[in-house]
Amino acid sequence: MKIKHLLYTIAIVFCSYTATAQTKVGTVNINILVSKLPEIANVKAGMEKYEKELQADLKSKLDAYGKEVEEANKAFATMTPENKKKKQQEIYELEADIQKFRQNAVQLVQLRQDELMRPLYKKVGDAVAAVSKSENYTQVFTLDGNELAYVDPQFDITLKTAAKLGLKIETKK
């Protein structure tokens, strides 16, 4: 009886060891790594340049608006009601254009930042994948977002799940 109990214990320990040996989970703080890359200075410079361009465009629009309002104020006294209304509509359209430009500028800045940062994140992601493979990690989570930074492709069950659902998915090689 004792031998049987000993064999069960050894089997459980062996199974536990092999089960834990199959996966190795790590973490990485990608934002710290990206912020330390030398290329980040180029990103900052590119963002400053782009923001200055947008500010110059806004200033140009504001100057044109100011000039239009000034000219309209001088001419309002001699205008017909119909022409006044037309001029006011033009001024409202310029105001709307300026407001729309300001709103779009925020989105444009974000898009440009994403565009400039993408190669840095790819560089860090490639390095994380290389370290993960060499250190035999199966999954690596980011510390700054609880997202997976790396997953060993052999643990991806997408194709098996698709087959179970009767779906056909083509894989890229």
Side-chain angles (χ1 to χ4, degrees):
M1 189 73 168
K2 286 184 180 185
I3 294 175
K4 198 174 192 183
H5 181 61
L6 180 62
L7 289 176
Y8 283 134
T9 304
I10 292 172
I12 290 172
V13 169
F14 180 72
C15 289
S16 297
Y17 176 73
T18 57
T20 58
Q22 291 177 356
T23 62
K24 187 174 177 184
V25 178
T27 60
V28 66
N29 192 325
I30 289 180
N31 286 331
I32 286 178
L33 297 172
V34 168
S35 71
K36 300 295 182 187
L37 289 174
E39 296 94 329
I40 199 73
N42 295 338
V43 171
K44 289 178 181 176
M47 288 304 301
E48 288 172 5
K49 180 182 176 192
Y50 187 64
E51 287 172 359
K52 284 180 183 177
E53 290 172 8
L54 290 175
Q55 288 173 353
D57 288 348
L58 178 60
K59 185 181 181 323
S60 171
K61 288 180 181 296
L62 289 172
D63 290 345
Y65 171 77
K67 184 178 177 183
E68 190 70 30
V69 168
E70 186 179 318
E71 289 175 4
N73 284 336
K74 289 178 184 176
F76 272 153
T78 60
M79 285 184 169
T80 65
E82 185 178 297
N83 285 343
K84 275 185 185 180
K85 201 172 199 173
K86 187 176 180 183
K87 187 53 102 173
Q88 286 173 336
Q89 184 61 36
E90 289 174 12
I91 291 172
Y92 291 140
E93 287 173 7
L94 286 174
E95 287 176 357
D97 184 45
I98 290 169
Q99 183 63 28
K100 188 175 182 180
F101 181 82
R102 285 181 171 156
Q103 290 171 347
N104 289 340
V106 172
Q107 293 172 340
L108 290 172
V109 166
Q110 183 63 47
L111 288 172
R112 179 59 63 99
Q113 184 175 4
D114 291 348
E115 177 184 319
L116 293 174
M117 293 294 288
R118 192 172 300 119
L120 277 62
Y121 280 106
K122 180 171 179 4
K123 181 177 183 177
V124 170
D126 291 346
V128 167
V131 169
S132 299
K133 287 177 186 176
S134 70
E135 297 288 326
N136 296 320
Y137 284 94
T138 55
Q139 299 103 17
V140 176
F141 289 91
T142 63
L143 289 175
D144 38 13
N146 269 347
E147 299 168 355
L148 282 170
Y150 171 80
V151 176
D152 187 336
Q154 81 181 36
F155 292 98
D156 184 358
I157 63 167
T158 304
L159 295 176
K160 292 176 184 175
T161 306
K164 176 104 174 141
L165 294 169
L167 304 173
K168 185 172 182 170
I169 297 177
E170 293 184 28
T171 60
K172 295 180 183 178
K173 295 185 180 180

